[in-house]
Amino acid sequence: MGLSDLRDGLRSYLEKGYCSFHTPGHKGRQEFFCGVDFPGSDLTELPGLDMLHAPAGIIAEAQAKAAGIFGAEESFFLVNGATVGNQALLLALPDTGPVLVSRAAHRSVFSGLILSGHRVTYARPVIHPEFNLPLGLETDEIIGAWAGAAACYVTYPTYYGSCCDLEALLKARDEDFPRLPVLVDQAHGAHYLGALFPPGALALGADAAVHSTHKTLSALTQGAMLHVQGQRLDRARLRQGLELLQTSSPSYLLLASLEQGADSALVQGHWEELRLEVEQIHRGLEGRLRLLDAKDEQTLGIAQVDWSKILVNTRPLGISAPVCVEFLRRRFGIEPELWDHENILFLLGIGSTPADVRLLRRGLESLLEPEFRHEAGVRSGVGFGKSNRLKPVLPAMLLPPLPPQRLTPRQAFFSKKRLVPLSESLGHTSGETISPYPPGIPVVVMGEILTEEVLELLRSEEERLWQGWERAGEKRIWIVEDD
């Protein structure tokens, strides 16, 4: 193992020449970084270069331009990702009641609850029965929990491109709870401008929206923005939170790429070309592969679907998604964003090309050919008869009943803990937040009681990638002592 292992690993990966259907949105295309001198522009806060935490010059001007592009009153450049935007928003809220949060929120929202100390009420997402993923959110359930809440935190869109009925939520807020801040994690929808996409959260009236500008636009990885409007948020406290959480040595390469990312958001003609190619995929595969599409709108808590996120379910093939991904990578050089046992997600970005989408179409069509089915069976040892199809997934396997809360996440985080076998943890307070990934929905959040339903899922022998569970391999768990 030499000192250059990381660099060699990056070089080796790039030499494989994969076609990117993952973040970042620039897809490695040099055209988005013309005029940026690297490494010359890797500078710190020097005379004439302004200061991120007290901008009055070129950073202030770039942020003001971004606010105009995205329809905000004020925009903040984030160099610690959208994570820091979510956390700062929670720090800016007063402790007047619980924060209503979707159980399928990003992990940065859960860490923000630890930092802020807020009490929390969870809204259960709707599991789509054909994808076994949390794709929807019932508007009535959200509105019904607003009384006494300090704020409502919504994810729009989901990782997979499904959008809840945010317009209806905001209309109900304006009519019945006019003082309630509605904050939106729009990390995967920074490109929502113009008629090609669902409306952006700010255009619908949200108080704040966090964008992962690097995910679909051209900013460098870790570059994000926070956009705010209206009077419901304490902006002075928000700025203090950002200064508390963000580095004091911001990368000017990231800042410059954020300015370029905002400019790239205005380019809509390129997206139109991509949409036409994606429509060809849907037409060609209709009835043969299950794709999330417009037919899923207005069902199961889904109001709209973002066509630039192509979610494919492999269950109709009777072949697991990892086997399909291995084939697509090896035969076509296609690199997806993520996959689980039965779903594959492909993300388009501002750097994607029509040729990329045509390659994806050929790859997906090849999954339907007898040659692949034979090869997949030989390589994986999986048959394709009825008895050998993918096992059914019950909703409780994805999202068991929400456990009772004994402590807030912050109280649990700072409590003394001890490590016990899973078999001895029933009824105790969890000292960990544990999520199977994907899809990343916590089965238990620190501070909640470990119920039999939770333990049944944690005891499962099914192979899973667990987030937040330190001793998963040993089947041991941290619990709060003296609970």
Side-chain angles (χ1 to χ4, degrees):
M1 302 290 283
L3 294 177
S4 65
D5 287 342
L6 179 57
R7 286 168 288 170
D8 289 344
L10 287 167
R11 189 180 303 111
S12 175
Y13 181 87
L14 291 174
E15 287 172 352
K16 292 181 173 66
Y18 287 117
C19 183
S20 169
F21 289 94
H22 54 80
T23 61
H26 59 68
K27 308 299 183 184
R29 300 194 185 282
Q30 193 67 38
E31 64 202 70
F32 294 109
F33 306 103
C34 293
V36 177
D37 177 8
F38 178 80
S41 295
D42 186 19
L43 297 169
T44 187
E45 295 172 328
L46 298 168
L49 295 184
D50 210 354
M51 295 182 65
L52 179 62
H53 298 303
I58 58 175
I59 294 177
E61 293 170 5
Q63 290 184 152
K65 183 171 68 171
I69 290 171
F70 293 105
E73 290 178 7
E74 190 171 7
S75 293
F76 300 90
F77 284 1
L78 309 177
V79 293
N80 290 41
T83 288
V84 78
N86 285 326
Q87 293 170 341
L89 283 172
L90 287 163
L91 285 176
L93 295 175
D95 186 16
T96 56
V99 179
L100 181 63
V101 172
S102 168
R103 191 69 170 197
H106 186 261
R107 59 194 303 183
S108 62
V109 175
F110 292 93
S111 63
L113 291 170
I114 294 172
L115 291 170
S116 66
H118 286 302
R119 293 162 286 161
V120 59
T121 299
Y122 295 109
R124 289 172 61 90
V126 180
I127 304 296
H128 196 300
E130 294 182 68
F131 293 91
N132 293 309
L133 290 172
L135 301 182
L137 201 60
E138 291 294 355
T139 305
D140 291 344
E141 180 182 347
I142 299 292
I143 297 171
W146 276 352
C152 177
Y153 221 110
V154 180
T155 302
Y156 172 97
T158 66
Y159 202 156
Y160 306 95
S162 55
C163 298
C164 66
D165 196 346
L166 183 59
E167 183 175 8
L169 283 175
L170 289 164
K171 182 179 179 182
R173 185 277 306 273
D174 293 342
E175 293 175 352
D176 301 324
F177 297 88
R179 295 184 179 181
L180 181 75
V182 175
L183 316 176
V184 180
D185 181 354
Q186 195 182 318
H188 289 274
H191 56 298
Y192 285 6
L193 292 175
L196 292 175
F197 299 105
L202 294 177
L204 293 174
D207 298 279
V210 180
H211 289 177
S212 277
T213 320
H214 68 93
K215 283 185 167 63
T216 54
L217 298 178
S218 64
L220 290 171
T221 295
Q222 209 169 303
M225 297 188 197
L226 169 58
H227 309 287
V228 296
Q229 63 183 1
Q231 304 302 314
R232 296 185 184 92
L233 279 175
D234 184 337
R235 301 227 196 140
R237 189 165 169 177
L238 179 62
R239 291 187 188 92
Q240 290 175 341
L242 288 172
E243 185 171 5
L244 175 71
L245 295 167
Q246 293 211 96
T247 177
S248 59
S249 302
S251 164
Y252 274 76
L253 293 171
L254 283 178
L255 294 173
S257 78
L258 281 167
E259 182 181 41
Q260 170 59 34
D263 292 339
S264 72
L266 296 171
V267 181
Q268 292 294 299
H270 180 71
W271 288 109
E272 176 63 36
E273 294 177 1
L274 295 178
R275 187 181 71 165
L276 293 174
E277 295 295 341
V278 171
E279 288 174 351
Q280 292 292 328
I281 289 180
H282 284 274
R283 279 197 290 267
L285 297 177
E286 186 172 7
R288 299 194 291 166
L289 270 179
R290 181 63 167 102
L291 277 67
L292 186 70
D293 59 25
K295 294 190 291 296
D296 293 290
E297 296 177 348
Q298 307 307 316
T299 65
L300 299 167
I302 300 172
Q304 287 182 273
V305 171
D306 178 356
W307 56 266
S308 70
K309 304 180 195 317
I310 303 165
L311 178 63
V312 179
N313 182 271
T314 67
R315 190 169 287 273
L317 297 174
I319 303 172
S320 70
V323 173
C324 296
V325 168
E326 191 276 336
F327 175 80
L328 292 172
R329 295 181 84 238
R330 178 170 45 83
R331 285 289 186 90
F332 293 89
I334 290 172
E335 186 75 286
E337 168 72 7
L338 65 76
W339 56 93
D340 57 27
H341 192 53
E342 60 177 299
N343 299 293
I344 314 173
L345 179 64
F346 305 90
L347 299 186
L348 301 184
I350 190 67
S352 299
T353 69
D356 294 340
V357 184
R358 288 193 288 271
L359 175 68
L360 177 60
R361 180 184 176 185
R362 292 197 300 274
L364 293 176
E365 288 176 342
S366 73
L367 299 179
L368 302 166
E369 296 173 359
E371 179 185 356
F372 164 68
R373 295 174 64 82
H374 173 73
E375 179 182 331
V378 170
R379 293 176 68 87
S380 66
V382 177
F384 305 106
K386 272 190 175 180
S387 62
N388 292 313
R389 291 188 181 277
L390 296 176
K391 296 178 181 178
V393 178
L394 301 176
M397 297 169 63
L398 300 166
L399 185 61
L402 297 182
Q405 296 179 48
R406 186 172 278 153
L407 301 172
T408 68
R410 181 180 177 87
Q411 289 169 337
F413 183 85
F414 286 105
S415 294
K416 189 175 181 180
K417 305 178 183 69
R418 60 189 172 96
L419 194 62
V420 300
L422 203 59
S423 58
E424 299 176 11
S425 65
L426 179 64
H428 288 281
T429 304
S430 178
E432 301 179 272
T433 295
I434 300 174
S435 310
Y437 184 83
I441 310 175
V443 296
V444 66
V445 176
M446 62 176 66
E448 293 179 337
I449 297 173
L450 289 158
T451 63
E452 182 56 45
E453 292 88 350
V454 169
L455 294 181
E456 182 179 358
L457 186 55
L458 297 182
R459 286 193 296 258
S460 170
E461 295 301 320
E462 184 178 343
E463 186 177 342
R464 295 177 185 272
L465 175 63
W466 295 100
Q467 286 184 333
W469 191 0
E470 183 182 343
R471 302 292 183 90
E474 303 172 16
K475 295 293 184 181
R476 303 174 79 196
I477 188 169
W478 288 101
I479 62 169
V480 174
E481 209 168 67
D482 301 325
D483 57 359

